[in-house]
Amino acid sequence: MFLILYLFSSLYLFHALLRYQAFSVVLMCILSGAALAQISVRSPILTGCILAAHLVFAAYYQLSLSSRNQTYQYLSGEMTQEQFLTRRIGEYPIIRYMNQTLPQNSRIYLLLTGNRYYYYSHEVRGGYFSGQPILDALNSKDPLKALPELFNRNGYTHILFHKRRFGQTLADNITVNELQLWNQFEREHLRYIQQSGQFWLGEYRR
């Protein structure tokens, strides 16, 4: 019962991250092994059927996943790394643009874009709660002063954000007046230079 409760709580409370399920997966493997050991003593044929079914399912899953991800085309050389990443990762086209065009001393504020920091060739700052600093600034006494201070204090030269996620974050957490203040900050301090799907790249101007 504890194992079942832990598994479901980790799925719903921690965004289904693998590290939170690892504990329950290890326990399930141990319990499954112990159960198979008991079954094998009484019925070796049944044990063999269970293992065979497991291997068939695992092989089917792996082949199906690799086909959807076009892994074999990439490994066989039919697809370049750039093509593979562009098809598999939504933000990769704009990351490639940034890596090729932005100055090397750029520091980018990643706002609700995920955590694939290893694809960037520039210094980036982000995280699971990357929208909170902006919300805090908007909730301050003087948002039009706090927002530029946020960018200046951290040395941000650019911002990359996911438009739909950021729009939903603002809609859920700020007032109409605060939204107008954010829009004013955008007009005065941000110049959008590139867009790819839901990902928007802006240059910060002091």
Side-chain angles (χ1 to χ4, degrees):
M1 180 59 68
F2 168 77
L3 181 60
I4 295 173
L5 291 175
Y6 179 87
L7 179 61
F8 277 97
S9 64
S10 65
L11 286 172
Y12 284 99
L13 297 179
F14 303 110
H15 310 289
L17 297 176
L18 180 60
R19 61 177 176 267
Y20 297 118
Q21 276 86 61
F23 173 72
S24 58
V25 170
V26 171
L27 282 179
M28 283 190 288
C29 289
I30 294 173
L31 293 173
S32 298
L36 280 175
Q38 292 294 321
I39 294 173
S40 64
V41 174
R42 301 179 181 180
S43 178
I45 296 177
L46 179 59
T47 303
C49 291
I50 293 173
L51 291 175
H54 170 73
L55 291 175
V56 170
F57 173 78
Y60 171 78
Y61 176 81
Q62 180 58 46
L63 290 172
S64 177
L65 180 64
S66 298
S67 177
R68 291 197 305 272
N69 291 345
Q70 298 180 306
T71 305
Y72 296 125
Q73 289 89 327
Y74 170 61
L75 294 176
S76 65
E78 296 178 18
M79 185 184 300
T80 66
Q81 184 182 48
E82 292 289 315
Q83 291 173 326
F84 180 74
L85 292 175
T86 298
R87 295 186 183 187
R88 292 296 306 150
I89 300 173
E91 67 269 33
Y92 188 75
I94 203 162
I95 293 176
R96 182 176 57 191
Y97 170 85
M98 294 164 61
N99 291 342
Q100 294 173 349
T101 61
L102 297 186
Q104 279 302 310
N105 62 349
S106 300
R107 175 181 280 192
I108 300 106
Y109 179 13
L110 301 182
L111 180 58
L112 305 174
T113 61
N115 58 356
R116 296 188 176 100
Y117 312 126
Y118 39 84
Y119 288 121
Y120 298 86
S121 62
H122 302 85
E123 187 176 0
V124 296
R125 291 290 183 271
Y128 289 115
F129 305 102
S130 56
Q132 194 58 49
I134 287 181
L135 296 178
D136 292 341
L138 288 170
N139 289 323
S140 67
K141 293 182 180 179
D142 190 353
L144 291 180
K145 180 181 178 181
L147 285 167
E149 284 182 349
L150 168 65
F151 280 73
N152 296 335
R153 182 173 64 251
N154 291 283
Y156 296 140
T157 60
H158 297 79
I159 180 172
L160 176 67
F161 67 92
H162 189 281
K163 187 175 180 64
R164 179 181 56 78
R165 295 173 193 155
F166 184 46
Q168 189 62 52
T169 297
L170 292 179
D172 292 343
N173 293 281
I174 64 174
T175 64
V176 173
N177 181 61
E178 290 169 341
L179 178 59
Q180 292 174 345
L181 293 173
W182 168 256
N183 291 335
Q184 183 177 341
F185 169 78
E186 274 190 306
R187 291 192 300 269
E188 295 177 356
H189 294 282
L190 296 180
R191 181 176 70 90
Y192 291 110
I193 56 180
Q194 187 70 4
Q195 180 257 337
S196 175
Q198 288 289 324
F199 295 93
W200 289 68
L201 173 65
E203 179 183 17
Y204 171 66
R205 299 177 295 184
R206 292 176 179 269

